[in-house]
Amino acid sequence: MNRREEADTPAIVVAGPSSSLTIPGIIVSQIVHAISERNHVVRIDVDSTTDFDAGLHRSPSLAAAHHSINNGSIVTHEAPGHPRLKAQAFKEWIPTDSRAAIAFAWPGLDSAWIRQFLSAANAAKTPSMVVCVSLPRSNHAQIGAMADAIIGSDLVLTGNAFEANALTKYFRGAGPVVENHQALSLHGRGERSAIHRITAFLPRDNFETLATLLSAFDAIPEAWIDSYHLQVIMRFSDDKAERMVAESYHADSVELVGNDLSSADLKRTCTDSSALIIADPAFDSRAFSIAVDCGVAIVVLASSQLPAVGRGYIGALLADMNRPVSVHVGLTHALRLAELHFPRPDAWNDLVNRLLGVSERASTPSPAFAPRSHATSTLQ
């Protein structure tokens, strides 16, 4: 789509967190990217603090790195911090010819701005939608806290049927249509284990990457190491790999596996692991494909080139296979995500089709999806 076509095409406005180092920001980027493949998108970055990128405890997202290559059909604005200025900005950035306005909600993050965003969309007679992620530890209070902010939308999508039913009860028939969608569910990995089970897949006889991995693992404090177990899966032709593991500082917590694994064994290994490390995966990597099916957090070790895998998979982090500190940070980040079950990449396209399908119907008003002129909360 060229710039002239963009100017003549009604925009789809998407608002939410922006940081590509956090899961909320990565999900918003994925939704924006999926929409932008065939539509002009206005993205509004709404961040509750200015220090979301601070610290050295996060690794870059592989999916976000792929997105940054081509974002020509996306216009980005940064929402002001002051509520009054924010409300004015929303009115300016959601013109009357907008095709849809989509807000992103994350349990525990500030959602007060969503009320202003929906008000601006309603004033512009633009179909409005809210997508709400469902987390393993979401609770009734968090659902209730979001409900009053999102009642003015035409459609709410959440990650599971329980939360969809809870919101429907909150709205008491006076709110939006509420449905659940698999792309918004991060449930399914179970509670975090007391032992961090890490599995690393390395290419055959890749002793350089093995040395980097062992150095990164040795950086774990000695007082914590009893809670860690590293399994290295790497075919090797001599005893060098075994000697390297034996000479590592945390050798007692490292297991080296040199034989091939069947697909069933791979799936079991991925399912049982708190996090995975995959070095230089090829486009048809069996380990990466099965890991995605299992929804587990993956640290992808790469050198100078961006790996061909990982498009659309929000659970993949990027680390430098030549820098132990980068691998250590990636592993630490991935272990914090161990409870989350990440959706398959194709789930995002299905989600976008659902959202845009509503905006299409709302352009010819029907009782269910006509844009609201106002909404009165039943929760006050």
Side-chain angles (χ1 to χ4, degrees):
M1 183 182 296
N2 60 41
R3 294 187 179 276
R4 186 166 186 174
E5 288 174 327
E6 287 178 12
D8 297 335
T9 303
I12 297 172
V13 184
V14 182
S18 70
S19 173
S20 62
L21 296 180
T22 65
I23 296 300
I26 295 167
I27 292 178
V28 173
S29 294
Q30 185 58 45
I31 294 172
V32 167
H33 179 76
I35 295 174
S36 70
E37 291 183 350
R38 296 186 178 182
N39 303 273
H40 173 45
V41 182
V42 173
R43 175 173 180 171
I44 303 176
D45 295 340
V46 185
D47 296 296
S48 57
T49 65
T50 58
D51 62 350
F52 52 79
D53 278 341
L56 300 175
H57 60 295
R58 300 183 188 274
S59 288
S61 160
L62 181 54
H66 282 300
H67 295 167
S68 65
I69 295 175
N70 183 14
N71 61 357
S73 60
I74 303 170
V75 175
T76 302
H77 301 290
E78 183 176 348
H82 192 281
R84 182 175 59 83
L85 297 178
K86 190 176 294 179
Q88 292 175 349
F90 288 153
K91 292 178 181 178
E92 177 184 346
W93 295 331
I94 308 177
T96 54
D97 63 346
S98 298
R99 183 177 167 191
I102 303 169
F104 178 86
W106 180 278
L109 292 183
D110 175 36
S111 58
W113 62 270
I114 296 179
R115 183 196 294 271
Q116 297 174 312
F117 180 82
L118 297 176
S119 177
N122 291 334
K125 295 181 170 54
T126 297
S128 60
M129 304 142 209
V130 178
V131 292
C132 307
V133 166
S134 297
L135 300 174
R137 296 182 182 273
S138 293
N139 56 50
H140 194 72
Q142 290 175 327
I143 297 171
M146 287 194 303
D148 200 44
I150 66 180
I151 193 172
S153 63
D154 297 304
L155 173 71
V156 173
L157 291 181
T158 187
N160 63 48
F162 170 79
E163 292 181 9
N165 292 336
L167 285 172
T168 299
K169 290 179 181 178
Y170 268 114
F171 296 146
R172 300 176 187 173
V177 175
V178 184
E179 300 176 4
N180 61 286
H181 195 282
Q182 60 177 347
L184 300 173
S185 175
L186 299 184
H187 293 256
R189 288 280 292 163
E191 293 188 8
R192 186 176 300 179
S193 170
I195 302 295
H196 299 301
R197 302 188 182 280
I198 306 146
T199 302
F201 297 90
L202 307 185
R204 180 186 180 93
D205 288 336
N206 194 324
F207 303 116
E208 294 81 4
T209 303
L210 176 60
T212 300
L213 174 62
L214 293 175
S215 295
F217 191 71
D218 283 346
I220 296 171
E222 191 169 2
W224 301 353
I225 197 59
D226 288 343
S227 298
Y228 288 76
H229 178 80
L230 172 63
Q231 179 180 230
V232 181
I233 299 176
M234 184 185 84
R235 288 176 295 169
F236 50 91
S237 53
D238 57 39
D239 63 354
K240 182 176 180 179
E242 294 174 311
R243 285 189 282 107
M244 291 174 67
V245 169
E247 293 169 2
S248 66
Y249 188 72
H250 292 317
D252 291 342
S253 298
V254 181
E255 176 187 1
L256 182 63
V257 178
N259 54 296
D260 289 331
L261 299 183
S262 67
S263 294
D265 290 335
L266 271 175
K267 184 173 183 179
R268 189 179 308 109
T269 298
C270 292
T271 301
D272 293 343
S273 298
S274 306
L276 300 177
I277 297 173
I278 304 179
D280 199 21
F283 180 76
D284 58 351
S285 168
R286 193 163 54 109
F288 190 89
S289 177
I290 292 176
V292 169
D293 287 339
C294 294
V296 65
I298 309 168
V299 181
V300 176
L301 307 188
S303 51
S304 57
Q305 291 186 332
L306 197 62
V309 299
R311 296 180 187 275
Y313 186 65
I314 63 171
L317 305 171
L318 194 58
D320 187 339
M321 68 165 57
N322 299 313
R323 299 181 61 221
V325 65
S326 177
V327 178
H328 180 79
V329 170
L331 176 58
T332 304
H333 191 173
L335 289 174
R336 288 200 304 275
L337 308 177
E339 285 182 293
L340 304 183
H341 181 280
F342 297 100
R344 287 184 50 80
D346 53 12
W348 301 112
N349 289 330
D350 187 65
L351 172 66
V352 167
N353 289 338
R354 177 71 187 98
L355 293 169
L356 299 192
V358 172
S359 71
E360 295 265 352
R361 287 193 289 275
S363 64
T364 54
S366 66
F369 295 110
R372 301 168 184 274
S373 58
H374 67 278
T376 302
S377 172
T378 62
L379 305 179
Q380 296 177 343

